[in-house]
Amino acid sequence: MCPAYNSNADTTDIVHLISSPVAASLLSIHPNDVALHGHQLAPQWSPWWDWASDYPQQPPAWLELMHYFMRPCVDDRPRVDIPAELCSLVDSVRSLQLQRTPSAYDTRNTGDRAYRISPKKEHEVDRMASYIHHLVHSESPRSVWHAVDVGSGQGYLSRALQELDFHVLALDNNENQTLGANQWTTKEAARKVKRRHRSDSQTPDEVRKGSLTHQTVHVFPRRLEDSVANWLSEHPGIRRNGEPDLHHPPTRPEPVPVLMVALHACGSLTVDVLRTFLLGRRPRTPQATDENRAWRPHSLVVVGCCYNLMSPSGTPSAHVIINAGHERPNVTDFPLSKPLRDLDPVPKLTIAAVHLAAQVPSQWLKDAATVQSAELALRKVVYRALLQPVLQAAAAQPNSIADHAIHSERPIQSGLGESPENRRLGKLNDKAYQDWPTFLERATDKLGINLVELITPLPAWFTHEAARLKMESALFVLQTLRCILGPLIETLILLDRRDWITDELAEMSGGQEVEVEMVNLFDQATGSGRNVALVMKPATNPQRVMPVIERN
């Protein structure tokens, strides 16, 4: 039986791998830079660059590398021509990254909708709402009837939670999103009225007791806490949890238990939601009690995304949770956990690394269509890299394209292959990438570049077809390797957050009452690349709470 994961690996193992010379060079050097300075290749690449440049190969080198990466068992090492250095790197990545198979649980169909929703979003809403249904009904009787949906967007998940009898506060920082969500909520309510008029009796969907409130709020920890408290204060009719006990009324108002959710909360928003949960689980001051609190976090289900929008890596302040003011605390979002903060030097993630964390190479070889799609995505990166000497030469011309480059307030970021000329080129449609001559013609026409008039000589590989094909093959392999590292970067970010939460809970009074898990909510095959939820819920065995984790 093939081992499913390496149970001895942890975040420090991952840091050591991505800090190794080969991995670190892959995460810091963009293919655009290689095409410009091909004669200055990273010395760590010399053992495999000749293999990657060998053209033609059948299958292509990048595809052979992917077949090795996707083999069923990490211990099954087929005979391949791939250099040992690359095989070792791929094996290490596979042994450390999280497995992403969707968790098994019954999925509820959240019902007929009066609003448009993509199949991907429908899958995410149905799966997340179903998991939350199982979560809240794992307690008997159910103890949480209120939820705050952070970064709610058009309110798809918010409405699904309302259908589960929740009173929902849906928060988003974009007023247009809030307006759109309210419009869909109104249409959905009108649809239910029409359906009720056509029927003699109410359906179970129409006798639900939940509610939905949309607000536009720029979220950070203290403001999120206040927003929920104000919502409960402004809507006193929703404070009651379930059916009231008229025979034994409470002697004092208890804090309202609230479920916190976020579906693909961008960048720092995920960490802010986690901080708010932790803030709500501990007294604000040594003298504070739950008596003066309007609400208390009961459980949390958060799926993050957009790691490139996190606060930059650096040396964070330890245990920064509470923000007494009304601004986001000046902290970074990685690393958070003590084991990583204690490393010397403190690990940092490059801008290229957090961009690559969005890659899902495990889905590239699913079928012929996904292989074709993956090849197109790689070709876009490679062709634009091959164009860099032309852009550089054109920028050196009198009255060059650099004089007409798009100026943006966003600075050029090292490691992403950016330049003013690349920004001016912008996006081209997929047909422009059908082959190199077509791409070169479309790109130079758009930028007004005449190759014959260029003064600066182009590299030898550019003007010789065989040499260019070898460079193209090598760049395909380079970008494939970078993408293979992507899920490992995401694994590191997720485990760092999990370990931080676990340590913070362990240090606070009552922290053992909360269980921390990581759950694969979505099927990545549907396009839901960010499929791992961080979950905090009431512990089933408060004396011994162990985080759940699996790796390939």
Side-chain angles (χ1 to χ4, degrees):
M1 178 67 69
C2 179
Y5 59 90
N6 179 355
S7 60
N8 295 319
D10 59 18
T11 52
T12 55
D13 294 328
I14 299 176
V15 168
H16 291 151
L17 176 59
I18 65 175
S19 302
S20 66
V22 173
S25 63
L26 291 170
L27 294 173
S28 61
I29 301 177
H30 193 275
N32 287 4
D33 303 321
V34 176
L36 274 177
H37 311 289
H39 61 288
Q40 298 176 355
L41 291 176
Q44 299 86 357
W45 299 357
S46 57
W48 55 268
W49 189 260
D50 288 344
W51 169 81
S53 304
D54 188 10
Y55 181 89
Q57 293 187 53
Q58 287 299 329
W62 76 268
L63 190 54
E64 185 177 7
L65 185 64
M66 279 302 303
H67 281 302
Y68 184 80
F69 173 65
M70 290 300 299
R71 68 194 190 281
C73 178
V74 70
D75 288 340
D76 177 19
R77 293 181 174 82
R79 294 188 62 183
V80 294
D81 296 329
I82 302 173
E85 292 81 1
L86 293 190
C87 290
S88 177
L89 176 63
V90 170
D91 290 344
S92 297
V93 169
R94 281 193 48 153
S95 69
L96 293 173
Q97 69 179 6
L98 291 171
Q99 70 89 5
R100 308 299 283 269
T101 304
S103 301
Y105 56 87
D106 293 334
T107 302
R108 296 162 49 93
N109 188 321
T110 51
D112 181 32
R113 297 180 174 91
Y115 45 89
R116 295 186 299 270
I117 186 170
S118 68
K120 170 182 174 290
K121 181 61 69 175
E122 184 172 32
H123 167 77
E124 292 168 350
V125 170
D126 285 349
R127 288 277 296 179
M128 192 162 182
S130 298
Y131 178 80
I132 290 171
H133 171 79
H134 293 300
L135 175 65
V136 299
H137 286 282
S138 64
E139 294 183 298
S140 182
R142 173 176 168 176
S143 63
V144 58
W145 300 86
H146 299 76
V148 54
D149 182 5
V150 185
S152 55
Q154 291 287 306
Y156 301 127
L157 178 62
S158 303
R159 287 187 286 276
L161 294 177
Q162 183 187 6
E163 293 170 4
L164 296 178
D165 295 345
F166 278 101
H167 296 293
V168 183
L169 173 62
L171 302 177
D172 199 274
N173 69 352
N174 188 313
E175 181 64 24
N176 291 330
Q177 292 277 38
T178 301
L179 290 173
N182 275 320
Q183 289 174 357
W184 287 122
T185 299
T186 301
K187 291 180 180 181
E188 180 69 7
R191 180 186 68 85
K192 291 180 179 180
V193 170
K194 290 181 180 179
R195 189 172 63 183
R196 186 168 62 248
H197 287 165
R198 292 194 300 265
S199 174
D200 294 333
S201 61
Q202 290 180 316
T203 65
D205 178 62
E206 291 161 350
V207 297
R208 298 190 185 280
K209 302 171 184 176
S211 64
L212 177 56
T213 304
H214 289 280
Q215 293 182 6
T216 302
V217 174
H218 184 69
V219 172
F220 40 80
R222 187 63 86 185
R223 179 171 288 177
L224 175 54
E225 184 184 27
D226 291 343
S227 295
V228 178
N230 292 338
W231 167 61
L232 294 170
S233 175
E234 294 166 3
H235 301 81
I238 69 171
R239 286 182 60 95
R240 190 175 65 219
N241 297 335
E243 295 297 329
D245 185 348
L246 300 179
H247 300 289
H248 301 88
T251 56
R252 62 178 175 81
E254 294 286 339
V256 176
V258 176
L259 164 72
M260 304 180 69
V261 302
L263 174 54
H264 292 155
C266 290
S268 298
L269 184 57
T270 296
V271 179
D272 285 344
V273 174
L274 299 176
R275 286 194 173 106
T276 304
F277 184 97
L278 295 172
L279 174 66
R281 298 294 302 191
R282 62 169 53 184
R284 296 181 188 173
T285 67
Q287 294 77 29
T289 69
D290 281 341
E291 294 184 22
N292 56 4
R293 282 190 168 170
W295 69 284
R296 181 176 175 84
H298 171 275
S299 46
L300 172 145
V301 182
V302 172
V303 181
C305 73
C306 302
Y307 301 118
N308 59 301
L309 298 179
M310 297 190 307
S311 294
S313 291
T315 305
S317 301
H319 306 286
V320 178
I321 296 177
I322 298 177
N323 172 27
H326 290 283
E327 297 296 334
R328 189 173 192 271
N330 185 23
V331 296
T332 59
D333 297 328
F334 177 90
L336 296 166
S337 61
K338 189 176 186 301
L340 294 189
R341 294 199 312 266
D342 287 346
L343 292 179
D344 187 15
V346 175
K348 297 183 179 182
L349 293 177
T350 65
I351 186 64
V354 292
H355 274 266
L356 290 168
Q359 293 293 331
V360 192
S362 63
Q363 301 301 312
W364 289 8
L365 306 187
K366 186 177 62 174
D367 52 43
T370 58
V371 173
Q372 186 176 18
S373 178
E375 184 176 13
L376 174 61
L378 291 171
R379 194 183 306 127
K380 288 180 178 182
V381 174
V382 170
Y383 280 4
R384 294 177 81 96
L386 294 174
L387 186 67
Q388 296 309 300
V390 173
L391 298 182
Q392 187 182 60
Q397 296 282 104
N399 191 28
S400 71
I401 61 172
D403 298 332
H404 307 285
I406 295 177
H407 297 286
S408 170
E409 294 182 358
R410 181 169 59 88
I412 299 296
Q413 294 179 298
S414 177
L416 297 180
E418 290 189 335
S419 69
E421 296 76 29
N422 280 301
R423 286 186 177 177
R424 186 180 174 216
L425 176 59
K427 292 184 178 180
L428 300 174
N429 62 35
D430 290 351
K431 292 183 178 179
Y433 294 91
Q434 62 184 359
D435 55 44
W436 170 249
T438 300
F439 171 78
L440 183 60
E441 180 182 2
R442 296 277 184 89
T444 52
D445 283 351
K446 183 176 181 179
L447 294 173
I449 297 174
N450 187 332
L451 294 177
V452 178
E453 296 177 353
L454 293 179
I455 299 174
T456 304
L458 298 175
W461 60 260
F462 189 92
T463 54
H464 295 82
E465 178 73 1
R468 183 191 61 76
L469 288 172
K470 288 181 177 294
M471 175 63 80
E472 181 179 314
S473 176
L475 291 177
F476 261 89
V477 171
L478 171 61
Q479 184 62 12
T480 300
L481 286 169
R482 286 160 51 84
C483 292
I484 286 174
L485 285 169
L488 186 62
I489 300 299
E490 184 177 25
T491 293
L492 177 61
I493 294 171
L494 291 169
L495 294 183
D496 175 57
R497 292 174 177 178
R498 183 209 64 180
D499 293 348
W500 167 60
I501 294 167
T502 303
D503 290 344
E504 292 288 346
L505 289 170
E507 292 183 4
M508 68 175 65
S509 175
Q512 70 276 10
E513 299 172 1
V514 179
E515 184 174 349
V516 181
E517 288 187 349
M518 297 172 66
V519 180
N520 294 341
L521 286 186
F522 313 134
D523 186 349
Q524 289 187 315
T526 65
S528 300
R530 315 281 70 74
N531 74 327
V532 179
L534 281 167
V535 176
M536 287 187 271
K537 62 182 183 179
T540 54
N541 183 359
Q543 300 304 316
R544 182 174 176 81
V545 177
M546 296 296 291
V548 175
I549 189 64
E550 292 185 16
R551 294 188 176 86
N552 281 333

mmCIF file with all atom_site columns, all heavy atoms in Angstrom, residues 383-402:
data_model
loop_
_atom_site.group_PDB
_atom_site.id
_atom_site.type_symbol
_atom_site.label_atom_id
_atom_site.label_alt_id
_atom_site.label_comp_id
_atom_site.label_asym_id
_atom_site.label_entity_id
_atom_site.label_seq_id
_atom_site.pdbx_PDB_ins_code
_atom_site.Cartn_x
_atom_site.Cartn_y
_atom_site.Cartn_z
_atom_site.occupancy
_atom_site.B_iso_or_equiv
_atom_site.pdbx_formal_charge
_atom_site.auth_seq_id
_atom_site.auth_comp_id
_atom_site.auth_asym_id
_atom_site.auth_atom_id
_atom_site.pdbx_PDB_model_num
ATOM 1   N N   . TYR A 1 383 ? 5.838  32.134 -24.453 1.00 0.00 ? 383 TYR A N   1
ATOM 2   C CA  . TYR A 1 383 ? 5.914  33.036 -25.599 1.00 0.00 ? 383 TYR A CA  1
ATOM 3   C C   . TYR A 1 383 ? 6.178  34.471 -25.170 1.00 0.00 ? 383 TYR A C   1
ATOM 4   O O   . TYR A 1 383 ? 6.957  35.195 -25.811 1.00 0.00 ? 383 TYR A O   1
ATOM 5   C CB  . TYR A 1 383 ? 4.621  32.965 -26.414 1.00 0.00 ? 383 TYR A CB  1
ATOM 6   C CG  . TYR A 1 383 ? 4.537  31.773 -27.348 1.00 0.00 ? 383 TYR A CG  1
ATOM 7   C CD1 . TYR A 1 383 ? 5.532  30.800 -27.372 1.00 0.00 ? 383 TYR A CD1 1
ATOM 8   C CD2 . TYR A 1 383 ? 3.460  31.618 -28.215 1.00 0.00 ? 383 TYR A CD2 1
ATOM 9   C CE1 . TYR A 1 383 ? 5.451  29.709 -28.210 1.00 0.00 ? 383 TYR A CE1 1
ATOM 10  C CE2 . TYR A 1 383 ? 3.364  30.534 -29.071 1.00 0.00 ? 383 TYR A CE2 1
ATOM 11  C CZ  . TYR A 1 383 ? 4.365  29.573 -29.061 1.00 0.00 ? 383 TYR A CZ  1
ATOM 12  O OH  . TYR A 1 383 ? 4.273  28.495 -29.912 1.00 0.00 ? 383 TYR A OH  1
ATOM 13  N N   . ARG A 1 384 ? 5.561  34.890 -24.096 1.00 0.00 ? 384 ARG A N   1
ATOM 14  C CA  . ARG A 1 384 ? 5.812  36.246 -23.621 1.00 0.00 ? 384 ARG A CA  1
ATOM 15  C C   . ARG A 1 384 ? 7.244  36.385 -23.100 1.00 0.00 ? 384 ARG A C   1
ATOM 16  O O   . ARG A 1 384 ? 7.854  37.453 -23.204 1.00 0.00 ? 384 ARG A O   1
ATOM 17  C CB  . ARG A 1 384 ? 4.788  36.629 -22.553 1.00 0.00 ? 384 ARG A CB  1
ATOM 18  C CG  . ARG A 1 384 ? 3.372  36.728 -23.103 1.00 0.00 ? 384 ARG A CG  1
ATOM 19  C CD  . ARG A 1 384 ? 2.368  37.042 -22.022 1.00 0.00 ? 384 ARG A CD  1
ATOM 20  N NE  . ARG A 1 384 ? 2.338  38.447 -21.696 1.00 0.00 ? 384 ARG A NE  1
ATOM 21  C CZ  . ARG A 1 384 ? 1.470  39.333 -22.208 1.00 0.00 ? 384 ARG A CZ  1
ATOM 22  N NH1 . ARG A 1 384 ? 0.566  38.938 -23.078 1.00 0.00 ? 384 ARG A NH1 1
ATOM 23  N NH2 . ARG A 1 384 ? 1.508  40.592 -21.859 1.00 0.00 ? 384 ARG A NH2 1
ATOM 24  N N   . ALA A 1 385 ? 7.775  35.294 -22.540 1.00 0.00 ? 385 ALA A N   1
ATOM 25  C CA  . ALA A 1 385 ? 9.177  35.319 -22.120 1.00 0.00 ? 385 ALA A CA  1
ATOM 26  C C   . ALA A 1 385 ? 10.098 35.429 -23.332 1.00 0.00 ? 385 ALA A C   1
ATOM 27  O O   . ALA A 1 385 ? 11.069 36.209 -23.326 1.00 0.00 ? 385 ALA A O   1
ATOM 28  C CB  . ALA A 1 385 ? 9.503  34.068 -21.313 1.00 0.00 ? 385 ALA A CB  1
ATOM 29  N N   . LEU A 1 386 ? 9.792  34.667 -24.365 1.00 0.00 ? 386 LEU A N   1
ATOM 30  C CA  . LEU A 1 386 ? 10.618 34.722 -25.574 1.00 0.00 ? 386 LEU A CA  1
ATOM 31  C C   . LEU A 1 386 ? 10.587 36.088 -26.242 1.00 0.00 ? 386 LEU A C   1
ATOM 32  O O   . LEU A 1 386 ? 11.508 36.452 -26.991 1.00 0.00 ? 386 LEU A O   1
ATOM 33  C CB  . LEU A 1 386 ? 10.140 33.657 -26.570 1.00 0.00 ? 386 LEU A CB  1
ATOM 34  C CG  . LEU A 1 386 ? 10.315 32.188 -26.157 1.00 0.00 ? 386 LEU A CG  1
ATOM 35  C CD1 . LEU A 1 386 ? 9.658  31.263 -27.170 1.00 0.00 ? 386 LEU A CD1 1
ATOM 36  C CD2 . LEU A 1 386 ? 11.790 31.840 -25.992 1.00 0.00 ? 386 LEU A CD2 1
ATOM 37  N N   . LEU A 1 387 ? 9.543  36.852 -25.987 1.00 0.00 ? 387 LEU A N   1
ATOM 38  C CA  . LEU A 1 387 ? 9.408  38.179 -26.586 1.00 0.00 ? 387 LEU A CA  1
ATOM 39  C C   . LEU A 1 387 ? 10.249 39.235 -25.866 1.00 0.00 ? 387 LEU A C   1
ATOM 40  O O   . LEU A 1 387 ? 10.455 40.332 -26.407 1.00 0.00 ? 387 LEU A O   1
ATOM 41  C CB  . LEU A 1 387 ? 7.929  38.592 -26.559 1.00 0.00 ? 387 LEU A CB  1
ATOM 42  C CG  . LEU A 1 387 ? 7.537  39.887 -27.259 1.00 0.00 ? 387 LEU A CG  1
ATOM 43  C CD1 . LEU A 1 387 ? 7.717  39.759 -28.772 1.00 0.00 ? 387 LEU A CD1 1
ATOM 44  C CD2 . LEU A 1 387 ? 6.092  40.277 -26.922 1.00 0.00 ? 387 LEU A CD2 1
ATOM 45  N N   . GLN A 1 388 ? 10.764 38.924 -24.684 1.00 0.00 ? 388 GLN A N   1
ATOM 46  C CA  . GLN A 1 388 ? 11.438 39.947 -23.871 1.00 0.00 ? 388 GLN A CA  1
ATOM 47  C C   . GLN A 1 388 ? 12.627 40.610 -24.566 1.00 0.00 ? 388 GLN A C   1
ATOM 48  O O   . GLN A 1 388 ? 12.794 41.833 -24.455 1.00 0.00 ? 388 GLN A O   1
ATOM 49  C CB  . GLN A 1 388 ? 11.866 39.349 -22.526 1.00 0.00 ? 388 GLN A CB  1
ATOM 50  C CG  . GLN A 1 388 ? 10.698 38.893 -21.654 1.00 0.00 ? 388 GLN A CG  1
ATOM 51  C CD  . GLN A 1 388 ? 9.629  39.945 -21.483 1.00 0.00 ? 388 GLN A CD  1
ATOM 52  O OE1 . GLN A 1 388 ? 9.880  41.035 -20.969 1.00 0.00 ? 388 GLN A OE1 1
ATOM 53  N NE2 . GLN A 1 388 ? 8.408  39.627 -21.930 1.00 0.00 ? 388 GLN A NE2 1
ATOM 54  N N   . PRO A 1 389 ? 13.483 39.879 -25.281 1.00 0.00 ? 389 PRO A N   1
ATOM 55  C CA  . PRO A 1 389 ? 14.574 40.574 -25.969 1.00 0.00 ? 389 PRO A CA  1
ATOM 56  C C   . PRO A 1 389 ? 14.072 41.599 -26.984 1.00 0.00 ? 389 PRO A C   1
ATOM 57  O O   . PRO A 1 389 ? 14.706 42.654 -27.169 1.00 0.00 ? 389 PRO A O   1
ATOM 58  C CB  . PRO A 1 389 ? 15.334 39.435 -26.653 1.00 0.00 ? 389 PRO A CB  1
ATOM 59  C CG  . PRO A 1 389 ? 15.026 38.223 -25.833 1.00 0.00 ? 389 PRO A CG  1
ATOM 60  C CD  . PRO A 1 389 ? 13.612 38.409 -25.393 1.00 0.00 ? 389 PRO A CD  1
ATOM 61  N N   . VAL A 1 390 ? 12.948 41.312 -27.619 1.00 0.00 ? 390 VAL A N   1
ATOM 62  C CA  . VAL A 1 390 ? 12.370 42.263 -28.574 1.00 0.00 ? 390 VAL A CA  1
ATOM 63  C C   . VAL A 1 390 ? 11.893 43.519 -27.837 1.00 0.00 ? 390 VAL A C   1
ATOM 64  O O   . VAL A 1 390 ? 12.145 44.645 -28.279 1.00 0.00 ? 390 VAL A O   1
ATOM 65  C CB  . VAL A 1 390 ? 11.206 41.615 -29.344 1.00 0.00 ? 390 VAL A CB  1
ATOM 66  C CG1 . VAL A 1 390 ? 10.497 42.644 -30.222 1.00 0.00 ? 390 VAL A CG1 1
ATOM 67  C CG2 . VAL A 1 390 ? 11.686 40.448 -30.176 1.00 0.00 ? 390 VAL A CG2 1
ATOM 68  N N   . LEU A 1 391 ? 11.206 43.327 -26.725 1.00 0.00 ? 391 LEU A N   1
ATOM 69  C CA  . LEU A 1 391 ? 10.725 44.474 -25.975 1.00 0.00 ? 391 LEU A CA  1
ATOM 70  C C   . LEU A 1 391 ? 11.878 45.320 -25.456 1.00 0.00 ? 391 LEU A C   1
ATOM 71  O O   . LEU A 1 391 ? 11.822 46.559 -25.462 1.00 0.00 ? 391 LEU A O   1
ATOM 72  C CB  . LEU A 1 391 ? 9.854  44.006 -24.805 1.00 0.00 ? 391 LEU A CB  1
ATOM 73  C CG  . LEU A 1 391 ? 8.580  43.235 -25.159 1.00 0.00 ? 391 LEU A CG  1
ATOM 74  C CD1 . LEU A 1 391 ? 7.804  42.879 -23.900 1.00 0.00 ? 391 LEU A CD1 1
ATOM 75  C CD2 . LEU A 1 391 ? 7.708  44.032 -26.113 1.00 0.00 ? 391 LEU A CD2 1
ATOM 76  N N   . GLN A 1 392 ? 12.934 44.651 -24.995 1.00 0.00 ? 392 GLN A N   1
ATOM 77  C CA  . GLN A 1 392 ? 14.105 45.386 -24.495 1.00 0.00 ? 392 GLN A CA  1
ATOM 78  C C   . GLN A 1 392 ? 14.777 46.173 -25.613 1.00 0.00 ? 392 GLN A C   1
ATOM 79  O O   . GLN A 1 392 ? 15.159 47.337 -25.432 1.00 0.00 ? 392 GLN A O   1
ATOM 80  C CB  . GLN A 1 392 ? 15.093 44.423 -23.853 1.00 0.00 ? 392 GLN A CB  1
ATOM 81  C CG  . GLN A 1 392 ? 16.262 45.104 -23.159 1.00 0.00 ? 392 GLN A CG  1
ATOM 82  C CD  . GLN A 1 392 ? 17.235 44.112 -22.573 1.00 0.00 ? 392 GLN A CD  1
ATOM 83  O OE1 . GLN A 1 392 ? 17.811 43.294 -23.294 1.00 0.00 ? 392 GLN A OE1 1
ATOM 84  N NE2 . GLN A 1 392 ? 17.416 44.164 -21.253 1.00 0.00 ? 392 GLN A NE2 1
ATOM 85  N N   . ALA A 1 393 ? 14.905 45.538 -26.773 1.00 0.00 ? 393 ALA A N   1
ATOM 86  C CA  . ALA A 1 393 ? 15.530 46.226 -27.910 1.00 0.00 ? 393 ALA A CA  1
ATOM 87  C C   . ALA A 1 393 ? 14.666 47.384 -28.380 1.00 0.00 ? 393 ALA A C   1
ATOM 88  O O   . ALA A 1 393 ? 15.179 48.460 -28.718 1.00 0.00 ? 393 ALA A O   1
ATOM 89  C CB  . ALA A 1 393 ? 15.765 45.235 -29.052 1.00 0.00 ? 393 ALA A CB  1
ATOM 90  N N   . ALA A 1 394 ? 13.357 47.195 -28.407 1.00 0.00 ? 394 ALA A N   1
ATOM 91  C CA  . ALA A 1 394 ? 12.462 48.263 -28.856 1.00 0.00 ? 394 ALA A CA  1
ATOM 92  C C   . ALA A 1 394 ? 12.479 49.430 -27.886 1.00 0.00 ? 394 ALA A C   1
ATOM 93  O O   . ALA A 1 394 ? 12.345 50.597 -28.295 1.00 0.00 ? 394 ALA A O   1
ATOM 94  C CB  . ALA A 1 394 ? 11.040 47.715 -29.008 1.00 0.00 ? 394 ALA A CB  1
ATOM 95  N N   . ALA A 1 395 ? 12.638 49.136 -26.575 1.00 0.00 ? 395 ALA A N   1
ATOM 96  C CA  . ALA A 1 395 ? 12.678 50.206 -25.581 1.00 0.00 ? 395 ALA A CA  1
ATOM 97  C C   . ALA A 1 395 ? 13.918 51.071 -25.736 1.00 0.00 ? 395 ALA A C   1
ATOM 98  O O   . ALA A 1 395 ? 13.938 52.224 -25.288 1.00 0.00 ? 395 ALA A O   1
ATOM 99  C CB  . ALA A 1 395 ? 12.631 49.611 -24.177 1.00 0.00 ? 395 ALA A CB  1
ATOM 100 N N   . ALA A 1 396 ? 14.968 50.520 -26.359 1.00 0.00 ? 396 ALA A N   1
ATOM 101 C CA  . ALA A 1 396 ? 16.214 51.268 -26.546 1.00 0.00 ? 396 ALA A CA  1
ATOM 102 C C   . ALA A 1 396 ? 16.195 52.118 -27.813 1.00 0.00 ? 396 ALA A C   1
ATOM 103 O O   . ALA A 1 396 ? 17.112 52.911 -28.037 1.00 0.00 ? 396 ALA A O   1
ATOM 104 C CB  . ALA A 1 396 ? 17.401 50.299 -26.595 1.00 0.00 ? 396 ALA A CB  1
ATOM 105 N N   . GLN A 1 397 ? 15.156 51.967 -28.633 1.00 0.00 ? 397 GLN A N   1
ATOM 106 C CA  . GLN A 1 397 ? 15.055 52.734 -29.873 1.00 0.00 ? 397 GLN A CA  1
ATOM 107 C C   . GLN A 1 397 ? 14.706 54.192 -29.601 1.00 0.00 ? 397 GLN A C   1
ATOM 108 O O   . GLN A 1 397 ? 14.057 54.515 -28.594 1.00 0.00 ? 397 GLN A O   1
ATOM 109 C CB  . GLN A 1 397 ? 13.952 52.141 -30.763 1.00 0.00 ? 397 GLN A CB  1
ATOM 110 C CG  . GLN A 1 397 ? 14.211 50.724 -31.233 1.00 0.00 ? 397 GLN A CG  1
ATOM 111 C CD  . GLN A 1 397 ? 15.185 50.679 -32.376 1.00 0.00 ? 397 GLN A CD  1
ATOM 112 O OE1 . GLN A 1 397 ? 16.357 50.327 -32.191 1.00 0.00 ? 397 GLN A OE1 1
ATOM 113 N NE2 . GLN A 1 397 ? 14.734 51.050 -33.553 1.00 0.00 ? 397 GLN A NE2 1
ATOM 114 N N   . PRO A 1 398 ? 15.129 55.108 -30.474 1.00 0.00 ? 398 PRO A N   1
ATOM 115 C CA  . PRO A 1 398 ? 14.621 56.492 -30.384 1.00 0.00 ? 398 PRO A CA  1
ATOM 116 C C   . PRO A 1 398 ? 13.097 56.483 -30.541 1.00 0.00 ? 398 PRO A C   1
ATOM 117 O O   . PRO A 1 398 ? 12.554 55.737 -31.356 1.00 0.00 ? 398 PRO A O   1
ATOM 118 C CB  . PRO A 1 398 ? 15.302 57.190 -31.572 1.00 0.00 ? 398 PRO A CB  1
ATOM 119 C CG  . PRO A 1 398 ? 16.500 56.341 -31.884 1.00 0.00 ? 398 PRO A CG  1
ATOM 120 C CD  . PRO A 1 398 ? 16.096 54.931 -31.556 1.00 0.00 ? 398 PRO A CD  1
ATOM 121 N N   . ASN A 1 399 ? 12.415 57.308 -29.732 1.00 0.00 ? 399 ASN A N   1
ATOM 122 C CA  . ASN A 1 399 ? 10.942 57.333 -29.734 1.00 0.00 ? 399 ASN A CA  1
ATOM 123 C C   . ASN A 1 399 ? 10.408 55.927 -29.509 1.00 0.00 ? 399 ASN A C   1
ATOM 124 O O   . ASN A 1 399 ? 9.574  55.419 -30.258 1.00 0.00 ? 399 ASN A O   1
ATOM 125 C CB  . ASN A 1 399 ? 10.410 57.909 -31.048 1.00 0.00 ? 399 ASN A CB  1
ATOM 126 C CG  . ASN A 1 399 ? 8.916  58.200 -30.961 1.00 0.00 ? 399 ASN A CG  1
ATOM 127 O OD1 . ASN A 1 399 ? 8.387  58.474 -29.879 1.00 0.00 ? 399 ASN A OD1 1
ATOM 128 N ND2 . ASN A 1 399 ? 8.245  58.120 -32.097 1.00 0.00 ? 399 ASN A ND2 1
ATOM 129 N N   . SER A 1 400 ? 10.934 55.293 -28.458 1.00 0.00 ? 400 SER A N   1
ATOM 130 C CA  . SER A 1 400 ? 10.662 53.876 -28.237 1.00 0.00 ? 400 SER A CA  1
ATOM 131 C C   . SER A 1 400 ? 9.287  53.665 -27.628 1.00 0.00 ? 400 SER A C   1
ATOM 132 O O   . SER A 1 400 ? 8.598  54.607 -27.221 1.00 0.00 ? 400 SER A O   1
ATOM 133 C CB  . SER A 1 400 ? 11.716 53.292 -27.284 1.00 0.00 ? 400 SER A CB  1
ATOM 134 O OG  . SER A 1 400 ? 11.504 53.788 -25.969 1.00 0.00 ? 400 SER A OG  1
ATOM 135 N N   . ILE A 1 401 ? 8.904  52.378 -27.542 1.00 0.00 ? 401 ILE A N   1
ATOM 136 C CA  . ILE A 1 401 ? 7.631  52.024 -26.919 1.00 0.00 ? 401 ILE A CA  1
ATOM 137 C C   . ILE A 1 401 ? 7.642  52.367 -25.438 1.00 0.00 ? 401 ILE A C   1
ATOM 138 O O   . ILE A 1 401 ? 6.593  52.535 -24.835 1.00 0.00 ? 401 ILE A O   1
ATOM 139 C CB  . ILE A 1 401 ? 7.315  50.521 -27.104 1.00 0.00 ? 401 ILE A CB  1
ATOM 140 C CG1 . ILE A 1 401 ? 8.400  49.657 -26.446 1.00 0.00 ? 401 ILE A CG1 1
ATOM 141 C CG2 . ILE A 1 401 ? 7.140  50.185 -28.555 1.00 0.00 ? 401 ILE A CG2 1
ATOM 142 C CD1 . ILE A 1 401 ? 8.039  48.183 -26.434 1.00 0.00 ? 401 ILE A CD1 1
ATOM 143 N N   . ALA A 1 402 ? 8.852  52.509 -24.864 1.00 0.00 ? 402 ALA A N   1
ATOM 144 C CA  . ALA A 1 402 ? 8.918  52.889 -23.451 1.00 0.00 ? 402 ALA A CA  1
ATOM 145 C C   . ALA A 1 402 ? 8.331  54.277 -23.228 1.00 0.00 ? 402 ALA A C   1
ATOM 146 O O   . ALA A 1 402 ? 7.797  54.581 -22.167 1.00 0.00 ? 402 ALA A O   1
ATOM 147 C CB  . ALA A 1 402 ? 10.364 52.849 -22.953 1.00 0.00 ? 402 ALA A CB  1
#
